Structures are given as C-alpha cells and as structure tokens.
Amino acid sequence: MSRLHAERAELCAEALDVVARRVAQREAAHPGRDVGDTIPLREVLAELAAALRVGERTVSGWLGDGAALVDTYPATLDALREGRIDERHASAIIDAGALLDNDVRDEYERRVLFIAETATAPELRDTARVVAARLQPSIVDEARRDALAQRQVKTYGLRDGLSRLLLDAPAALVQGIFERVTDMAGALTDEPGAEPAAEAGAEPADRSECEPADTRTLDQRRADILCDLLLTGVPAVGGDAGLGAIRATVHVTIPVLTLAGLDDTPAVLDGHGPIDAETARVLAAAAPVWQRVMIHPVTEEPLRLDTYRPSKRLRRLLNARDRTCRWPGCRRSATRSEADHTVAWEDGGTTCAANLAILCKGHHTLKHASAWTVRQLGGGSLEFTSPTRRRYRNDVPAVVEATGSRLGPPPWRRLLEAHHHPGDAPPF
C-alpha cells in the first residue's frame, strides 16, 4: 500500500509537469504577454477529478503532496516506497514543514523521519509541528495568522436526515463554546437518585403528573442546545431543537401529496438530499413564501421560459431542476452558482431551460476558457467531454428518489388514472 502511495505521488508530480508544459504552450501562443492565469492547472484538476470520480480539492491535495515529496522531501518518499511509513505520516511531515525555510528543511526531515518510524500518524503530526517550531520559531506566528485567515463554517450531509455543521475558528473560542454547551447540557440533568425538594407538610407530588425524565444523552443535549442558541438565542429547556424557529431561505422540493399529508414520499433539501416528510411539512408550515414549480408528469422537466438573461421565474426553475452545479463531481449549491448557456447566446443559443445549466463560477469560467465542452441531451441531461475526449453524462437529480418502486405506480399517477377516462382529452 505504501508503494502504491509513493507511485501516486510520482504520478502527481508528472501531472504537474503536464501543467507546466501547457503553461509554456499558452505563453508561446501569446509571446510578450503575461498570461498569468490558472486555467491549465484547473483543466488538469477537472480532468483527473472527473476520471477518478473524486473532488477537485482531493486531487489538488494529491498533486501538492506529490510535488512536495518528489521535489522537497526525497527521503520521505523513499521511506514511503519502502513501507517504513504510510501516507498519513508523509502528509503530516509535509503539512508541519510547509512554512520552513530551505536551509532547515533537511534537518527537519531527518528528525521527523526518525520519529515517524515508531509513532502513529496523529502522534507524528503533533510532534512534527514542535520540531518545525524549534528549528524556526518565526513560523509559529505566521502559521497562526495563516490558519486564522482560513476560519469558516461549512455543512456536510450525513445520513438519514442528519447534517454536520463544521466551524473552523480560534481554538480558545471553539473550546470555550464546547465547554459552555457542555455545562448547559449537564445542568439539565438531575443528580442520580435525587428526589425533588418539597416544603414541610406538603403532600407528595403525584409522580404520574410529572414531566417525563430527560432520556437524551449528553451528546444529544449538547447538539440540541447548540441548535437552539444559534437559531433563537436561548436554549429550549424542554429539548426542542428549535426546528420551528428556522426562518432562513431554504430550498425544499416537496411533492404536493406529501405537503397535503396524503403521502410520505421524502422531500429533497437543497445541499443535503432526501429529508423525511414530517420535517418537510414543518418547514413548509413555517415558510413565509411558497414557490410552486410545475413539472412534466413523466420526464419531471420544469417548463421552459425564454429571455437573454434568465428571469427570476426561469432561474427558480433551473435551481429546482439542477439544485447544484452540474459539473461532474461538483456539489456547490445552485443558489450560489450561475446559469450558463450551453450554446452561447452569440452563437444562436436561446435562453430556455433546454439550453441552460447551473455551473458554479469556477466551472463556468473553465467551460469557456478550456477544451472542455458540454452538450444538452434533452430532459435536462448533459454530456461533458474532457480535453482527452472522455465523456461524462450528468442527469438531472430526481425530484422523488423512490419512483418506480415495487409498491406500484407513483401516487400522482393513481390519482390521475382515477379521474381520467378513456376518450377524455389528455390532462396535460
């Protein structure tokens, strides 16, 4: 396995050589002009990510580590190839030494490799930072400034209606947040075996009328309280996670029968995936505005409109259809992306759903500035062709994931058949 990781590092370094050659070709095509763009690198990243079916950030990390191992840490590459360390050790060495000057890098590598052969990867990651700081103390403040500039909040979809909120912030603040939430969660629990205090002479309280005991775990209470604090500013003592307090703009595609309570087909939450019908109905009940999108009953393709710049109605249709950037592997939300004419307006392309697709800003630029091409296949399906002529089909995400199940035809078809008789005009 370590040999394979070493071979991948060498192949990634070769991929960067391809980028360098493409940069040279672009500079030769425009002599005397500083091209100075990142299109060649992004072209290679997009090609590798599509071919390997991984994210472009993952490929970027592979390329960076590969170049570092081949050009900067040859002894680490040899240790990886020989199986004395694994990929995680090599990554820890690269990350901790990223800010070191060249004159101390060899000594740094010698020291951390000696430790790496007997330590776990997490142990090495902590120790390597200490070794680097001792060899060049100035990197501590520089690393802190760089890290602080990367503070952010992200969400990741998990399974079965869960999502993860990830906060990157100064360590002291994050730890303080965690401790406060932990203290508040602990305060909700009575001491084991403790009976509620009673005034002298008072009748014992009827235990049947008491609130049920809080059976949530500490982790569950922490999560509920944090949701309450972020959404409403106060914790809900009763344990409600604050779902009814949500007032953000959230794009949820809900089948009309689910909304009416006649069916429990899952809804689709933009940026996450399927959510249960009850949650969808709660969100819909609290939403100040509903936007109805009529779709074709068979192909599920939104109806078309036409202008040069997509109207608000057309953009809502595109967002409902595509939900994310349509580039292979990209998951950026449609609401934070752009509407791209597959056939350019100046080339006769129309502004309609059949000639538009949602692309994030980066992939929108890449489509126009590189050899990648896109073709509409109908029904919202797209075919991407890479510079090496590999083809990748991207279909419209299904609004209802469970259509065509063994339970019979979808509910809308059963209702349609119940009210439509042979000889009647087509209902659509």
Side-chain angles (χ1 to χ4, degrees), residues 118-250:
T118 58
T120 65
E123 291 171 344
L124 177 64
R125 189 169 292 276
D126 292 337
T127 305
R129 287 200 295 265
V130 174
V131 172
R134 288 177 178 173
L135 288 173
Q136 188 175 327
S138 62
I139 70 171
V140 176
D141 288 339
E142 185 178 356
R144 180 180 177 277
R145 288 194 298 270
D146 289 348
L148 189 60
Q150 302 301 319
R151 61 189 185 278
Q152 60 183 340
V153 176
K154 286 187 174 182
T155 60
Y156 294 94
L158 300 178
R159 60 178 180 83
D160 300 334
L162 286 180
S163 286
R164 175 169 295 153
L165 180 70
L166 181 66
L167 168 66
D168 292 341
L173 297 182
V174 171
Q175 189 62 30
I177 292 170
F178 181 81
E179 293 298 335
R180 185 186 180 205
V181 172
T182 300
D183 291 342
M184 296 173 78
L188 295 179
T189 306
D190 293 330
E191 289 296 324
E195 291 291 331
E199 296 182 4
E203 291 292 328
D206 185 353
R207 303 290 294 181
S208 64
E209 296 180 359
C210 295
E211 291 292 332
D214 190 345
T215 59
R216 292 175 296 168
T217 66
L218 180 61
D219 281 335
Q220 291 169 345
R221 290 195 298 273
R222 268 196 293 245
D224 292 346
I225 288 173
L226 185 59
C227 288
D228 293 332
L229 290 173
L230 292 176
L231 292 171
T232 68
V234 294
V237 177
D240 180 14
L243 189 61
I246 295 177
R247 292 294 183 271
T249 300
V250 180

Side-chain angles (χ1 to χ4, degrees), residues 36 47 57 70 142 163 191 273 304 310 321 393 412 424 427:
E47 172 75 15
R57 283 182 177 270
V70 172
E142 185 178 356
S163 286
E191 289 296 324
R304 61 171 285 178
R321 183 191 72 181
R393 181 181 175 118
W412 65 263
D424 291 348

Side-chain angles (χ1 to χ4, degrees), residues 3-343:
R3 268 200 310 274
L4 291 174
H5 290 315
E7 291 173 7
R8 187 182 70 189
E10 293 169 338
L11 289 172
C12 286
E14 292 178 15
L16 288 178
D17 289 339
V18 173
V19 174
R21 289 197 296 271
R22 291 191 179 180
V23 170
Q25 291 171 358
R26 291 171 71 90
E27 291 176 346
H30 303 282
R33 192 178 80 182
D34 182 14
V35 177
D37 60 40
T38 61
I39 292 299
L41 175 60
R42 292 169 56 196
E43 199 172 44
V44 170
L45 287 177
E47 172 75 15
L48 291 174
L52 299 174
R53 293 180 295 279
V54 298
E56 291 182 26
R57 283 182 177 270
T58 299
V59 176
S60 178
W62 289 348
L63 294 182
D65 285 357
L69 286 171
V70 172
D71 300 332
T72 309
Y73 298 104
T76 303
L77 180 59
D78 289 339
L80 182 63
R81 187 182 294 109
E82 295 166 8
R84 291 184 283 123
I85 63 174
D86 67 18
E87 183 187 33
R88 296 176 303 155
H89 291 88
S91 178
I93 292 172
I94 294 169
D95 292 345
L99 298 177
L100 289 174
D101 295 335
N102 292 332
D103 56 348
V104 298
R105 208 179 293 275
D106 290 343
E107 177 63 16
Y108 163 77
E109 185 180 28
R110 184 188 67 80
R111 293 188 186 185
V112 294
L113 270 181
F114 178 78
I115 300 169
E117 295 186 14
T118 58
T120 65
E123 291 171 344
L124 177 64
R125 189 169 292 276
D126 292 337
T127 305
R129 287 200 295 265
V130 174
V131 172
R134 288 177 178 173
L135 288 173
Q136 188 175 327
S138 62
I139 70 171
V140 176
D141 288 339
E142 185 178 356
R144 180 180 177 277
R145 288 194 298 270
D146 289 348
L148 189 60
Q150 302 301 319
R151 61 189 185 278
Q152 60 183 340
V153 176
K154 286 187 174 182
T155 60
Y156 294 94
L158 300 178
R159 60 178 180 83
D160 300 334
L162 286 180
S163 286
R164 175 169 295 153
L165 180 70
L166 181 66
L167 168 66
D168 292 341
L173 297 182
V174 171
Q175 189 62 30
I177 292 170
F178 181 81
E179 293 298 335
R180 185 186 180 205
V181 172
T182 300
D183 291 342
M184 296 173 78
L188 295 179
T189 306
D190 293 330
E191 289 296 324
E195 291 291 331
E199 296 182 4
E203 291 292 328
D206 185 353
R207 303 290 294 181
S208 64
E209 296 180 359
C210 295
E211 291 292 332
D214 190 345
T215 59
R216 292 175 296 168
T217 66
L218 180 61
D219 281 335
Q220 291 169 345
R221 290 195 298 273
R222 268 196 293 245
D224 292 346
I225 288 173
L226 185 59
C227 288
D228 293 332
L229 290 173
L230 292 176
L231 292 171
T232 68
V234 294
V237 177
D240 180 14
L243 189 61
I246 295 177
R247 292 294 183 271
T249 300
V250 180
H251 189 106
V252 184
T253 302
I254 310 175
V256 65
L257 296 182
T258 297
L259 189 62
L262 302 177
D263 193 2
D264 285 330
T265 302
V268 179
L269 175 63
D270 186 16
H272 170 74
I275 59 174
D276 64 279
E278 184 58 33
T279 298
R281 284 191 282 265
V282 170
L283 291 173
V289 177
W290 290 1
Q291 296 174 354
R292 184 177 64 177
V293 179
M294 300 298 295
I295 62 173
H296 192 283
V298 177
T299 66
E300 298 185 350
E301 182 182 4
L303 304 176
R304 61 171 285 178
L305 298 170
D306 199 358
T307 55
Y308 167 66
R309 185 179 298 277
S311 65
K312 291 182 178 180
R313 292 178 59 199
L314 177 55
R315 183 56 195 262
R316 289 198 295 266
L317 289 171
L318 293 173
N319 289 354
R321 183 191 72 181
D322 294 352
R323 299 207 295 273
T324 65
C325 170
R326 296 294 300 281
W327 196 275
C330 186
R331 300 295 300 163
R332 181 172 288 273
S333 170
T335 57
R336 294 187 291 137
S337 301
E338 301 173 350
D340 169 65
H341 287 76
T342 304
V343 177

Side-chain angles (χ1 to χ4, degrees), residues 47 371-373 383-392:
E47 172 75 15
W372 278 84
T373 60
E383 182 183 75
F384 291 79
T385 303
S386 75
T388 57
R389 313 312 299 168
R390 288 180 174 84
R391 297 180 180 178
Y392 305 94

